[in-house]
Coordinates of all heavy atoms in Angstrom, one line a residue:
V119 N 46.0 76.9 79.6 CA 45.6 78.3 79.6 C 46.6 79.2 80.3 O 47.1 80.2 79.7 CB 44.2 78.4 80.3 CG1 43.9 80.0 80.5 CG2 43.2 77.9 79.4
Y120 N 47.1 78.8 81.5 CA 47.9 79.7 82.2 C 49.3 79.9 81.5 O 49.7 81.1 81.3 CB 48.2 79.0 83.6 CG 49.1 79.9 84.5 CD1 48.7 81.0 85.1 CD2 50.4 79.4 84.8 CE1 49.5 81.8 85.9 CE2 51.3 80.2 85.5 CZ 50.8 81.4 86.1 OH 51.6 82.2 86.9
G121 N 50.0 78.9 81.1 CA 51.3 79.0 80.5 C 51.2 79.8 79.2 O 52.0 80.7 78.8
D122 N 50.2 79.5 78.4 CA 49.9 80.1 77.1 C 49.7 81.7 77.2 O 50.1 82.5 76.6 CB 48.8 79.6 76.2 CG 49.3 78.1 75.8 OD1 50.4 77.7 75.9 OD2 48.4 77.5 75.2
S123 N 48.9 82.0 78.2 CA 48.5 83.3 78.5 C 49.8 84.2 79.2 O 50.0 85.3 78.8 CB 47.4 83.4 79.7 OG 46.2 82.7 79.1
K124 N 50.6 83.5 79.7 CA 51.9 84.1 80.3 C 52.8 84.4 79.1 O 53.5 85.3 79.2 CB 52.5 83.2 81.4 CG 51.8 83.3 82.7 CD 52.0 84.7 83.4 CE 51.6 84.7 84.7 NZ 51.9 86.0 85.5
I125 N 52.7 83.6 78.2 CA 53.5 83.8 76.9 C 53.1 85.2 76.3 O 53.8 86.1 76.0 CB 53.4 82.6 75.9 CG1 54.2 81.4 76.4 CG2 53.9 83.1 74.5 CD1 53.9 80.2 75.6
E126 N 51.7 85.3 76.2 CA 51.1 86.5 75.6 C 51.5 87.8 76.5 O 51.7 88.8 76.0 CB 49.7 86.3 75.4 CG 49.2 85.4 74.3 CD 47.8 85.4 74.1 OE1 47.2 86.4 73.7 OE2 47.1 84.3 74.4
A127 N 51.5 87.5 77.7 CA 51.7 88.6 78.6 C 53.1 89.0 78.5 O 53.5 90.2 78.4 CB 51.4 88.3 80.1
E128 N 54.0 88.1 78.4 CA 55.4 88.5 78.2 C 55.7 89.3 76.9 O 56.5 90.2 76.7 CB 56.3 87.2 78.2 CG 56.8 86.7 79.5 CD 58.0 85.8 79.5 OE1 58.7 85.8 78.4 OE2 58.3 85.1 80.4
Q129 N 54.9 88.8 75.8 CA 55.0 89.5 74.6 C 54.7 91.1 74.7 O 55.1 91.9 74.1 CB 54.3 88.8 73.5 CG 54.9 87.4 73.2 CD 54.1 86.6 72.3 OE1 52.7 86.6 72.3 NE2 54.7 85.7 71.4
V130 N 53.5 91.2 75.5 CA 53.1 92.6 75.7 C 54.1 93.3 76.4 O 54.4 94.4 76.1 CB 51.7 92.5 76.6 CG1 51.4 93.9 77.1 CG2 50.7 92.0 75.8
V131 N 54.8 92.7 77.4 CA 55.8 93.4 78.2 C 57.1 93.7 77.3 O 57.6 94.9 77.4 CB 56.2 92.6 79.5 CG1 57.5 93.2 80.1 CG2 55.0 92.4 80.4
R132 N 57.4 92.7 76.5 CA 58.6 93.0 75.6 C 58.3 94.2 74.6 O 59.1 94.9 74.2 CB 59.0 91.7 74.9 CG 59.7 90.8 75.8 CD 60.0 89.5 75.2 NE 61.1 88.9 75.9 CZ 61.6 87.7 75.5 NH1 61.1 87.0 74.4 NH2 62.6 87.1 76.1
G133 N 56.9 94.2 74.1 CA 56.6 95.3 73.3 C 56.8 96.6 73.9 O 57.2 97.6 73.3
L134 N 56.4 96.7 75.2 CA 56.5 98.0 76.0 C 57.9 98.3 76.2 O 58.3 99.5 76.2 CB 55.8 97.9 77.2 CG 54.2 98.3 77.2 CD1 54.0 99.8 77.0 CD2 53.4 97.5 76.2
A135 N 58.8 97.2 76.4 CA 60.2 97.5 76.6 C 60.8 98.1 75.4 O 61.7 99.0 75.4 CB 60.9 96.1 76.9
A136 N 60.4 97.7 74.2 CA 60.9 98.2 73.0 C 60.4 99.7 72.8 O 61.0 100.5 72.1 CB 60.3 97.4 71.7
R137 N 59.4 100.1 73.5 CA 58.9 101.5 73.5 C 59.5 102.3 74.6 O 59.2 103.5 74.7 CB 57.4 101.6 73.6 CG 56.7 101.1 72.4 CD 55.3 100.9 72.6 NE 54.5 101.9 73.3 CZ 53.3 101.9 73.7 NH1 52.6 100.9 73.6 NH2 52.8 103.1 74.2
G138 N 60.6 101.7 75.3 CA 61.2 102.5 76.4 C 60.9 102.2 77.8 O 61.4 102.7 78.8
L139 N 60.1 101.2 78.1 CA 59.7 100.7 79.5 C 61.0 100.0 80.1 O 61.3 99.0 79.5 CB 58.5 99.9 79.5 CG 58.1 99.5 81.0 CD1 57.5 100.7 81.7 CD2 56.9 98.5 80.8
P140 N 61.5 100.4 81.2 CA 62.6 99.8 81.8 C 62.3 98.6 82.6 O 62.3 98.6 83.9 CB 63.3 100.9 82.6 CG 62.1 101.8 83.0 CD 61.2 101.7 81.9
V141 N 61.9 97.5 81.9 CA 61.3 96.3 82.6 C 62.2 95.2 82.5 O 62.9 94.9 81.4 CB 60.0 96.0 82.0 CG1 60.1 95.7 80.6 CG2 59.3 94.8 82.7
T142 N 62.4 94.3 83.6 CA 63.0 93.1 83.6 C 62.0 92.0 84.0 O 61.1 92.2 84.8 CB 64.1 93.1 84.7 OG1 65.1 94.1 84.5 CG2 64.8 91.8 84.9

């Protein structure tokens, strides 16, 4: 659960980065 959920969370973050969020 933990690792798979963190994958999904990263995908969310990368989607927001594509919309202009300056995230590392």
Side-chain angles (χ1 to χ4, degrees):
V119 172
Y120 181 72
D122 292 354
S123 300
K124 283 293 193 176
I125 290 173
E126 291 186 61
E128 275 200 19
Q129 291 170 330
V130 167
V131 172
R132 286 177 155 180
L134 271 293
R137 290 168 51 190
L139 183 68
V141 59
T142 299

